[in-house]
Amino acid sequence: MSTTDNAKPVRKDPAALKAADWADGRLGIYGLAKANLRKIFPDHWSFMLGEIAMFSFIIVILTGVYLTLFFNPSMGEVVYDGEYVPLQGVHMSEAYKSTLDISFEVRGGLLIRQIHHWGAIVFVAALVVHMMRVFFTGAFRKPREINWLVGWTLLFLAMFEGFLGYSLPDDLLSGTGVRFMEGAILSTPLIGTYLSFFLYGGEFPGTDIIPRFYSIHILLLPGIMVGLFVVHLFLVIYHKHTQYPGPGRTNSNVVGQPFMPVYMAKAGGFMFIVFGVISIMAAIATVNPIWAYGPYRPDHVSTDAQPDWYMGFAEGLIRVMPGWEINAWGHTLALGVFIPAMVFPLVLLAIGVYPFIESWITGDKREHHLLDRPRNVPVRTGLGAAWISLYILLLIGGGNDLFATHFHLSINAITWFIRIGIFVVPVLVFMATKRICLGLQRRDRDKVLHGRETGVIKRLPHGEFIEVHEPLSQDRLYVLTQHEQPKPFKVEGAVDENGVARKVKLTDKLRARLSRGYFGEGGQIPKPTAEEHAEITSGHH
Amino acid sequence: MSSDDIKGGNLPDRPTGHSGEVEETGTPSFPDPGLPPHQPRRQDIDEDAAARSERAIAFMFTLSMLATIGFIASFVVIDRTTIVHIWPFGHVNALNFALGLTLGVALFTIGAGAVHWARTLMSGHEIPQERHPIAASPELRQQVLADFAEGAKDSVLGRRKLIRNTMFGALALVPLSGVVLLRDLGPLPEDKLRHTLWGKGKQLINQNTGLPIKPSDVTVGSLVFAVPEGLEEEDHDFLEQIAKAALMIVRLNPDDIKDKRERDWGYEGIVAFSKICTHVGCPISLYESQTHHVLCPCHQSTFDLADGARVIFGPAGHPLPQLRISVNEEGNLQALGDFDEPVGPSFWERG
């Protein structure tokens, strides 16, 4: 090979290089590549969670485009005469019929439909788990607050996008969800009936809702989401990825492997892995078998009527709310429906605004690129765990009928448990998590000062048994002690030089109180200092 | 990125940084030992291992090609109606199973090959790269603010208040056209939610048989669903009408009925209630004949049919509306009028 190459005259630029030069002359791609081709991406399994979301989003878009080629978003009524025998002769909408046709008469149609549905389920799940990773490691801190909001908005939209999507086939299960939506809209004070009539184009169900959902589902929301997704990725690249603390990893560097080729191969490969796994899920597990539900009719319903999992917590709110209703001055306020409909976005908003609350409490204006170990911020970790417990309780509430039938419990008892639990359980979870974090901090401190327990028992000459502790490596010592331990914020000059109390702003008082909770005595275990370590280790040897 | 232009930023580094308001307790306990030395992988030092990796990667890519061929072959060969039994998945559509599995393998092996390649053969060195502060330098900030001030001055927007105010006014008003355009999304509600197809003299038609119902057809313990006479599935507004008019009929022992009005509005213990839940409009379909409770399967609102369909559990806010019924000359059940209150979920104007 090489001898023949040498024999030839100097080769001209290959075609690919020519193309690159051509593009550079018009787009300046070399400048872009200089900054990004060898850009460093840190590696950690938990950074993959966001990638799962990204790649499942892509596969959902691709399969969604395919489905639009066959789906007919019309509520025009037809009598089914297709291949699925049990439904022949049944009145149904064209939307439902075309979904049956995709499932039974288009080769591979069922597979793509199931990839689309499974992909959506995985997408929202990955979004939530990714958000939890970002939350617990404090990756949302400056300069990434805006990207947190972008991601949060994506999650919020993804849930509605999913709801709209599974409503489109106009089957009995999803139609029940659309009916629920009508009830929720009707409960809005003053304008509820008008909103409902405008959205449904008249009385429920009408013939407009599926076509309207369709344009929102395939155009409006995906358009916004793709835009946000691009912004999200751009900001990840612009800010450079966060990294876990470790030897050589500081707040002003990023340690990892270059975009080309390592990250390209790993992330690109991972994309195919996600695609592959979702395809296999669609091959072996049926999702949303609309043919088994039948077409929607407002006077029919099936038991076990459950939304897709990401709407489950909203369903829980609706189910456990007592049926409060106020009738006065000729008007009705259906609090039993309206309150859960309002609390539903608040549950998500609570976690969406958290970064701003935390930065107000800490007053920290610096950039943070090193992630927190969750144990080192016990209050934040406790709040996150409490939020998850609330979310899970509401999910259980949303499936109270399934829990009742599968575990042979009284549905009334489950409902009452959730009603009380949503106020009590998050508080207990917060306290328990905070204590666990403090315990882990104590253990870290112990390990730094006394070394790792080896499990080796030694008998001393005078008969005493001791366990041998092995001192930690410098790397471990650094990792366990690199974190900051801020002092709580104190209101300056609450008392003037004469000892007379001055007026202190209420917000400052609140901030000082919260800051004490975060960083005061009960909020963190003082990390060992080098002097303590030196004293103890010199004493031992 | 433009941040590359601003070299030498001073990002707070853990050991020394104190640029924020945060006060840190104590000094850093242990020095940063720096990046650990690179540990060579087996493939870095053993050419045989590297060659094995290459073969493994090539194997996965080849498998992917075979799976794609398998996908196309399945698409062509397998009949789309064939159902097969595959352990442990049970009876599955053969085409869907084959297509999904081959596609999954074709995709997965590309990914697995690429990741294996990156992990074993590409450089395993961890490289540090500097970060640069996001915020602009003070000089740049000053320059931008000056530019902005000049632009603002140039625009005379601050000085010519009339332009500014009318512009804001125009910009505020123009979206109203868009709002107005939404008016024809639907008709006004008027009193549509207050009326159903039921009316005086309308016979109750059994939904299953399509025939009028005689009192003797309704036995104690059974739940009968009825629709108003004249409503056909082919009607263009069938779904809108049935969404309000759906009715359930039960026969109770008249002495068991605790509510006097309920007894009066029924016929010999036969009472008719709206089937549409007053919570968010699901059709109620679970009847427990011993207790005379009906339960909505959607959100578990439970109503006591022996006591004016009072809510005894769940999120519903008020009882199910009752339809006044009697028997006409032919001996069939008939309505004596429409529901006297709106059926279904509550709304603001319900009162």
Side-chain angles (χ1 to χ4, degrees):
Chain A
M1 280 275 289
S2 56
T3 48
T4 52
D5 273 356
N6 287 346
K8 278 182 186 169
V10 179
R11 282 213 312 201
K12 282 184 130 186
D13 287 350
L17 186 57
K18 272 195 198 149
D21 286 339
W22 186 89
D24 183 52
R26 285 145 188 88
L27 303 167
I29 58 165
Y30 290 156
L32 264 174
K34 174 179 165 275
N36 294 303
L37 211 50
R38 294 288 281 178
K39 196 179 188 70
I40 293 300
F41 282 86
D43 214 1
H44 190 268
W45 66 265
S46 68
F47 300 160
M48 235 171 45
L49 300 166
E51 288 182 24
I52 299 179
M54 168 163 80
F55 298 138
S56 49
F57 184 49
I58 291 172
I59 199 172
V60 168
I61 290 176
L62 292 176
T63 50
V65 171
Y66 174 88
L67 291 174
T68 62
L69 304 178
F70 298 96
F71 180 66
N72 180 2
S74 156
M75 294 175 90
E77 193 142 297
V78 290
V79 177
Y80 185 66
D81 58 353
E83 283 188 11
Y84 186 62
V85 177
L87 286 175
Q88 282 168 1
V90 172
H91 288 262
M92 58 181 60
S93 65
E94 289 185 276
Y96 185 73
K97 182 188 181 297
S98 60
T99 314
L100 287 177
D101 292 347
I102 289 172
S103 306
F104 292 111
E105 300 183 20
V106 178
R107 281 181 288 176
L110 177 62
L111 180 72
I112 300 297
R113 231 197 89 217
Q114 301 211 128
I115 292 178
H116 191 68
H117 204 122
W118 273 124
I121 288 171
V122 171
F123 175 50
V124 190
L127 281 176
V128 172
V129 181
H130 169 60
M131 182 170 88
M132 291 338 315
R133 195 283 293 171
V134 169
F135 182 88
F136 284 117
T137 58
F140 54 74
R141 289 172 297 170
K142 189 183 169 188
R144 296 183 179 77
E145 302 100 319
I146 293 171
N147 220 14
W148 165 268
L149 285 185
V150 171
W152 181 86
T153 312
L154 273 170
L155 170 66
F156 200 77
L157 293 180
M159 286 172 33
F160 284 100
E161 179 69 350
F163 174 81
L164 294 172
Y166 71 67
S167 296
L168 289 181
D170 202 18
D171 57 283
L172 188 54
L173 180 60
S174 72
T176 305
V178 178
R179 174 93 214 209
F180 155 71
M181 205 178 96
E182 190 226 2
I185 292 172
L186 281 179
S187 75
T188 315
L190 286 170
I191 53 169
T193 30
Y194 290 85
L195 282 181
S196 171
F197 271 70
F198 287 167
L199 178 66
Y200 289 82
E203 287 189 83
F204 178 86
T207 52
D208 290 337
I209 193 69
I210 297 287
R212 286 177 184 177
F213 273 13
Y214 185 65
S215 70
I216 300 172
H217 178 74
I218 71 157
L219 183 69
L220 182 63
L221 288 188
I224 298 172
M225 288 173 73
V226 167
L228 290 174
F229 165 69
V230 170
V231 170
H232 200 73
L233 279 190
F234 172 78
L235 283 177
V236 167
I237 293 168
Y238 182 68
H239 290 143
K240 297 197 171 98
H241 208 287
T242 51
Q243 60 189 351
Y244 283 93
R249 291 156 200 266
T250 69
N251 203 32
S252 54
N253 75 2
V254 51
V255 177
Q257 297 188 319
F259 179 71
M260 183 175 166
V262 179
Y263 189 75
M264 218 181 228
K266 275 191 182 172
F270 190 59
M271 176 173 82
F272 283 100
I273 290 178
V274 170
F275 285 9
V277 168
I278 293 176
S279 301
I280 290 168
M281 284 164 80
I284 64 178
T286 305
V287 63
N288 199 27
I290 51 116
W291 55 88
Y293 305 145
Y296 180 62
R297 260 181 69 160
D299 59 333
H300 288 179
V301 72
S302 57
T303 50
D304 293 350
Q306 302 286 335
D308 272 10
W309 80 268
Y310 41 84
M311 279 289 168
F313 81 99
E315 178 81 2
L317 279 169
I318 275 288
R319 289 189 183 194
V320 303
M321 180 73 197
W324 297 345
E325 195 163 288
I326 297 173
N327 274 293
W329 300 292
H331 289 290
T332 300
L333 191 54
L335 292 174
V337 184
F338 188 61
I339 289 179
M342 292 296 103
V343 172
F344 152 68
L346 286 183
V347 171
L348 290 170
L349 204 63
I351 198 140
V353 299
Y354 178 81
F356 302 94
I357 295 171
E358 189 186 293
S359 80
W360 171 67
I361 295 170
T362 61
D364 194 347
K365 302 276 188 289
R366 298 165 305 161
E367 288 183 19
H368 289 278
H369 303 291
L370 273 185
L371 296 171
D372 285 323
R373 300 170 76 222
R375 70 185 58 175
N376 289 336
V377 196
V379 173
R380 180 205 292 152
T381 306
L383 289 173
W387 185 83
I388 293 176
S389 73
L390 174 69
Y391 191 93
I392 291 174
L393 273 178
L394 290 174
L395 269 183
I396 296 173
N400 56 1
D401 49 344
L402 293 180
F403 279 87
T405 50
H406 286 260
F407 296 105
H408 304 288
L409 296 167
S410 147
I411 196 158
N412 305 27
I414 296 173
T415 307
W416 270 107
F417 170 75
I418 305 286
R419 281 177 181 174
I420 297 165
I422 54 175
F423 295 101
V424 176
V425 173
V427 177
L428 296 178
V429 168
F430 171 78
M431 294 195 295
T433 311
K434 192 178 155 197
R435 290 218 74 85
I436 292 169
C437 287
L438 291 173
L440 289 168
Q441 282 191 30
R442 282 201 186 84
R443 200 177 68 148
D444 283 351
R445 182 185 158 83
D446 217 45
K447 266 164 66 176
V448 167
L449 291 179
H450 304 290
R452 186 178 69 86
E453 292 177 12
T454 56
V456 176
I457 307 287
K458 197 161 86 175
R459 191 179 174 190
L460 297 182
H462 59 275
E464 185 192 352
F465 288 97
I466 57 160
E467 188 186 3
V468 178
H469 285 240
E470 187 186 39
L472 297 187
S473 67
Q474 285 300 313
D475 285 0
R476 285 307 291 165
L477 286 175
Y478 176 68
V479 170
L480 296 187
T481 56
Q482 49 71 37
H483 58 286
E484 290 178 337
Q485 295 202 310
K487 276 186 190 156
F489 163 77
K490 280 204 190 74
V491 180
E492 301 283 339
V495 179
D496 66 17
E497 58 269 30
N498 300 325
V500 180
R502 281 201 314 202
K503 260 196 177 172
V504 176
K505 273 199 292 182
L506 264 180
T507 50
D508 277 352
K509 269 191 189 165
L510 179 66
R511 192 184 143 196
R513 218 190 147 87
L514 291 169
S515 187
R516 262 207 315 281
Y518 268 77
F519 308 116
E521 268 178 41
Q524 52 192 3
I525 306 297
K527 62 183 184 184
T529 60
E531 295 80 56
E532 281 177 292
H533 181 256
E535 197 178 311
I536 284 182
T537 42
S538 62
H540 266 304
H541 298 286
Chain B
M1 301 299 106
S2 57
S3 62
D4 281 15
D5 305 333
I6 321 157
K7 286 271 177 221
N10 53 342
L11 277 190
D13 216 343
R14 270 282 149 81
T16 52
H18 283 284
S19 56
E21 272 186 55
V22 177
E23 237 187 305
E24 212 189 319
T25 58
T27 45
S29 314
F30 297 93
D32 181 356
L35 270 185
H38 176 61
Q39 301 285 337
R41 293 162 307 194
R42 199 183 166 128
Q43 286 83 357
D44 294 335
I45 45 177
D46 180 357
E47 178 52 34
D48 284 349
R52 268 200 304 280
S53 277
E54 184 182 2
R55 282 197 298 276
I57 295 159
F59 170 75
M60 285 189 254
F61 289 161
T62 313
L63 200 61
S64 171
M65 289 188 255
L66 292 176
T68 299
I69 294 168
F71 181 90
I72 297 168
S74 312
F75 190 90
V76 175
V77 173
I78 300 177
D79 181 75
R80 63 184 145 81
T81 55
T82 311
I83 303 289
V84 289
H85 188 275
I86 295 172
W87 189 87
F89 308 114
H91 290 280
V92 294
N93 178 295
L95 181 64
N96 182 65
F97 189 79
L99 290 179
L101 223 53
T102 48
L103 180 66
V105 169
L107 292 164
F108 186 90
T109 46
I110 293 179
V115 171
H116 194 56
W117 180 8
R119 290 177 65 94
T120 58
L121 294 179
M122 291 180 190
S123 156
H125 286 268
E126 294 218 298
I127 307 169
Q129 209 169 50
E130 288 299 301
R131 289 182 192 272
H132 310 285
I134 308 290
S137 66
E139 302 82 52
L140 180 63
R141 182 173 170 274
Q142 280 309 320
Q143 192 195 329
V144 170
L145 291 182
D147 285 353
F148 181 84
E150 184 151 342
K153 192 167 153 257
D154 220 19
S155 74
V156 300
L157 201 65
R159 206 151 53 85
R160 309 270 177 205
K161 293 265 160 51
L162 193 58
I163 296 181
R164 191 193 63 186
N165 294 346
T166 49
M167 182 180 74
F168 286 166
L171 289 175
L173 281 186
V174 85
L176 283 180
S177 309
V179 176
V180 168
L181 282 173
L182 296 178
R183 165 61 191 88
D184 280 351
L185 277 175
L188 294 180
E190 294 162 339
D191 59 352
K192 296 189 186 77
L193 292 176
R194 298 192 164 271
H195 301 294
T196 73
L197 269 191
W198 293 105
K200 194 165 166 46
K202 281 240 171 143
Q203 293 194 109
L204 279 59
I205 305 295
N206 186 317
Q207 200 182 54
N208 293 322
T209 62
L211 297 172
I213 302 168
K214 295 207 184 304
S216 55
D217 298 340
V218 186
T219 54
V220 173
S222 67
L223 179 70
V224 179
F225 296 137
V227 297
E229 173 187 5
L231 180 63
E232 300 293 337
E233 219 181 322
E234 287 74 24
D235 294 345
H236 71 98
D237 61 346
F238 172 75
L239 293 180
E240 290 79 55
Q241 294 303 341
I242 196 77
K244 291 188 293 184
L247 196 69
M248 59 184 168
I249 308 164
V250 292
R251 184 194 277 267
L252 309 171
N253 185 340
D255 298 336
D256 289 346
I257 300 178
K258 296 170 201 150
D259 184 82
K260 184 179 177 301
R261 196 188 80 159
E262 181 185 343
R263 200 180 315 132
D264 296 345
W265 282 22
Y267 176 78
E268 293 177 352
I270 299 175
V271 285
F273 286 97
S274 166
K275 191 184 169 186
I276 307 301
C277 183
T278 57
H279 178 221
V280 287
C282 277
I284 292 163
S285 54
L286 303 174
Y287 177 51
E288 200 184 40
S289 56
Q290 296 299 314
T291 56
H292 315 304
H293 294 169
V294 284
L295 181 110
C296 174
C298 291
H299 307 103
Q300 290 84 41
S301 293
T302 312
F303 303 86
D304 185 357
L305 289 194
D307 192 9
R310 185 170 60 86
V311 184
I312 54 169
F313 190 75
H318 60 267
L320 297 168
Q322 187 179 359
L323 189 71
R324 279 181 82 168
I325 54 167
S326 71
V327 166
N328 62 13
E329 302 90 65
E330 294 144 48
N332 298 329
L333 289 177
Q334 64 165 359
L336 288 180
D338 199 351
F339 290 103
D340 74 331
E341 55 179 320
V343 301
S346 294
F347 49 95
W348 177 249
E349 297 86 351
R350 187 176 182 277

